[in-house]
């Protein structure tokens, strides 16, 4: 009887451990998303080049919208093809300025004897996101180097360190206060103008991200020391 009880207890213990094992060794959750839009070859090359430059500079879509002086979703809508609106010539010039006129190499499309490169065609994007990386898969109807190819690349998700973030906020507050006292904001300053001025400061190797600058700027707006106005279609900061 005692032996049976011992075997019964151990049997339930191992069943319990087996039930827990999958949970303990589960793979990190992967998020997937898909979107699509109608683009010509020229539009796709431009769209692709801006996306690759954004990733190269390690900017998020919202950070790029901020540097453009636009609403948070503005660039995201363009990259994710959420609407039919295209970037304006002024938008493209601004993006080129943000990226220091370093434009990624375009997609090596093959020559099309039917001239379909001038017609909008369906472009699909599928992404898979884990804790560290976003994986992109782009399918399109044109040939590259005389064969149909799926475009694949990845985007590393920046690892934000809280202590470094707090240190950056403190430094940015002091720098923006100095810019205010120098009279820099007497005339409207675009987000890109402000960010470039902040980049010129010495921050002891602390990473200064656009989203940090945005947060600190709006703290000064909340205190009434700065105001946000639309100047020539761009959000700008000036003394209130």
């Amino acid at each position: 009887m005692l032996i049976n009880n011992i075997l019964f207890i151990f049997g339930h213990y191992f069943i319990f451990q087996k039930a827990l094992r999958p949970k303990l060794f589960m793979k990190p959750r992967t998020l997937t998303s898909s979107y699509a839009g109608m683009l010509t070859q020229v539009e796709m090359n431009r769209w692709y080049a801006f996306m690759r430059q954004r990733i190269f500079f390690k900017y998020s879509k919202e950070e790029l919208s901020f540097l453009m002086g636009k609403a948070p979703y503005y660039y995201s809508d363009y990259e994710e093809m959420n609407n039919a609106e295209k970037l304006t010539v002024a938008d493209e010039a601004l993006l080129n300025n943000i990226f220091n006129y370093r434009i990624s190499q375009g997609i090596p499309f093959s020559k099309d004897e039917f001239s379909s490169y001038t017609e909008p065609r369906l472009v699909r994007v599928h992404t898979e996101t884990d804790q560290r990386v976003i994986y992109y898969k782009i399918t399109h109807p044109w040939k590259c180097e005389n064969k149909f190819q799926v475009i694949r690349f990845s985007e590393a998700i920046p690892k934000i360190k809280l202590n470094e973030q707090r240190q950056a906020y403190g430094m940015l507050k002091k720098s923006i206060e100095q810019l205010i006292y120098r009279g820099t904001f007497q005339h409207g300053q675009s987000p890109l103008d402000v960010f470039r001025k902040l980049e010129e400061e010495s921050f002891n190797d602390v990473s200064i991200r656009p989203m940090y600058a945005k947060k600190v700027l709006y703290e000064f707006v909340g205190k009434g020391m700065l105001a946000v106005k639309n100047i020539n279609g761009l959000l700008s900061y000036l003394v209130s």
Side-chain angles (χ1 to χ4, degrees), residues 29-208:
R29 184 182 178 187
T30 300
L31 301 176
T32 62
S33 68
S34 298
Y35 47 91
M38 302 292 289
L39 301 174
T40 65
Q41 273 192 16
V42 172
E43 290 169 342
M44 181 176 174
N45 250 331
R46 186 183 301 119
W47 168 84
Y48 175 78
F50 285 140
M51 183 193 299
R52 295 308 300 265
Q53 284 304 101
R54 177 186 66 77
I55 293 171
F56 175 81
F57 277 79
K58 299 180 181 179
Y59 293 152
S60 69
K61 300 181 188 107
E62 184 176 343
E63 284 180 319
L64 200 49
S65 294
F66 164 70
L67 292 176
M68 293 177 71
K70 301 291 187 178
Y73 54 82
Y74 188 84
Y75 179 81
S76 178
D77 275 356
Y78 168 71
E79 190 171 297
E80 297 177 10
M81 298 183 264
N82 285 335
N83 54 41
E85 293 182 5
K86 308 296 183 182
L87 293 180
T88 65
V89 174
D91 289 336
E92 292 177 16
L94 186 54
L95 284 170
N96 287 329
N97 187 9
I98 291 170
F99 297 137
N100 298 321
Y101 300 95
R102 297 176 58 180
I103 303 302
S104 296
Q105 186 175 1
I107 304 167
F109 289 120
S110 302
K111 290 184 178 180
D112 188 342
E113 58 181 324
F114 300 105
S115 300
S116 66
Y117 57 86
T118 61
E119 301 174 5
R121 305 289 293 275
L122 185 63
V123 176
R124 297 179 184 274
V125 182
H126 178 78
T127 67
E128 293 186 3
T129 306
D130 60 26
Q131 294 178 339
R132 297 181 179 179
V133 182
I134 303 173
Y135 299 95
Y136 292 86
K137 174 185 174 184
I138 302 174
T139 56
H140 59 86
W142 299 290
K143 288 183 178 181
C144 296
E145 300 176 343
N146 296 317
K147 60 182 178 181
F148 294 105
Q149 296 183 27
V150 174
I151 301 172
R152 299 177 187 271
F153 55 92
S154 62
E155 175 182 1
I157 299 173
K159 187 176 181 181
I160 306 298
K161 298 179 180 179
L162 292 179
N163 59 332
E164 186 177 289
Q165 191 179 57
R166 285 193 293 267
Q167 191 176 358
Y169 286 152
M171 292 177 173
L172 285 170
K173 287 178 183 177
K174 291 180 180 177
S175 294
I176 292 176
E177 281 179 351
Q178 290 175 358
L179 291 175
I180 292 173
Y181 294 139
R182 290 175 195 162
T184 303
F185 292 98
Q186 290 296 329
H187 302 284
Q189 297 290 309
S190 72
L192 182 59
D193 290 335
V194 177
F195 189 67
R196 290 267 167 86
K197 288 180 174 64
L198 292 172
E199 283 185 314
E200 293 172 0
E201 301 288 333
S202 175
F203 289 103
N204 301 321
D205 297 326
V206 175
S207 177
I208 301 300

